Structures are given as structure tokens and as C-alpha cells.
Amino acid sequence: MKRPFVEQGVSGAGVTPPEPASVGIRTFASPAAPGFTGELKRRYTDFIVHEVRADGSVVELSDVDSLPEPDRTIVERRELPLDEKIARLGELVGAPAASAVRALSDA
């Protein structure tokens, strides 16, 4: 079996990926597919994001005092009647799909 990320010397943070069989993988849905490469993320610095404007300049947070306070209002949740849930679902996925879900709930 080809393992492109190993063959290309990409192992992410110096870690060699395990053989598929050693982690319980016995078969692949599409063995002929070339696979994909990736890099393991391990440190918080791996997840730092730099926002960049369209002109290429980096956005920086310079004044934390002017940030608005988060809304910490606790909203009481109430259980919606089934008819209202189905109506809202219909707005998202269309009436036919919502009706099918209703039929399942009635079964």
C-alpha cells in the first residue's frame, strides 16, 4: 500500500505515522486512492492565526479596553411543541422533508 506522506518524508513534528494495521485499519474504502498528506498539530502555537487584510497587512489587537463586555444574560430554554419544531425545520429544509420527519416521529 502506498503511503504518500511517508514516501515524501512528511511526518509532522518528527513523528512517523503508524502502519494502518497497527491501529486497527484492515481495509480502505478505496485502496487505489492516492491518500492525502497532513501535519500533526501538537502545541498551542500550531493554532495561532494571523488575520490578514485584503491589502496584505496583518490585523493586530491594540486596545483590549475598548472591547465590549460579553452578554452574560442567562436565557431560559423552553421545550418547543412538536408542531413548532416541524414548522421551523420546514423553513430550513423544506416542507416535504419536514413532513417526512413528522411522519417518522408519529410512527
Side-chain angles (χ1 to χ4, degrees):
M1 170 195 316
K2 293 183 85 178
R3 298 182 63 212
F5 52 95
V6 173
E7 291 166 9
Q8 295 171 11
V10 178
S11 59
V15 177
T16 301
E19 289 296 324
S22 73
V23 292
I25 299 173
R26 292 176 297 208
T27 186
F28 292 88
S30 181
F36 59 91
T37 61
E39 187 174 313
L40 298 175
K41 304 294 183 178
R42 294 174 175 247
R43 300 176 304 270
Y44 77 93
T45 54
D46 292 332
F47 299 93
I48 293 176
V49 175
H50 298 282
E51 299 291 338
V52 180
R53 293 184 183 93
D55 67 4
S57 62
V58 177
V59 177
E60 294 183 17
L61 179 61
S62 59
D63 181 12
V64 294
D65 294 330
S66 64
L67 293 175
E69 282 295 319
D71 181 7
R72 300 194 188 278
T73 305
I74 297 174
V75 178
E76 186 177 327
R77 295 189 64 172
R78 65 179 178 91
E79 186 67 25
L80 297 175
L82 181 59
D83 288 338
E84 190 172 341
K85 289 179 182 178
I86 296 297
R88 288 184 178 192
L89 180 62
E91 293 171 6
L92 295 172
V93 299
S99 294
V101 170
R102 178 59 191 251
L104 287 173
S105 71
D106 290 341

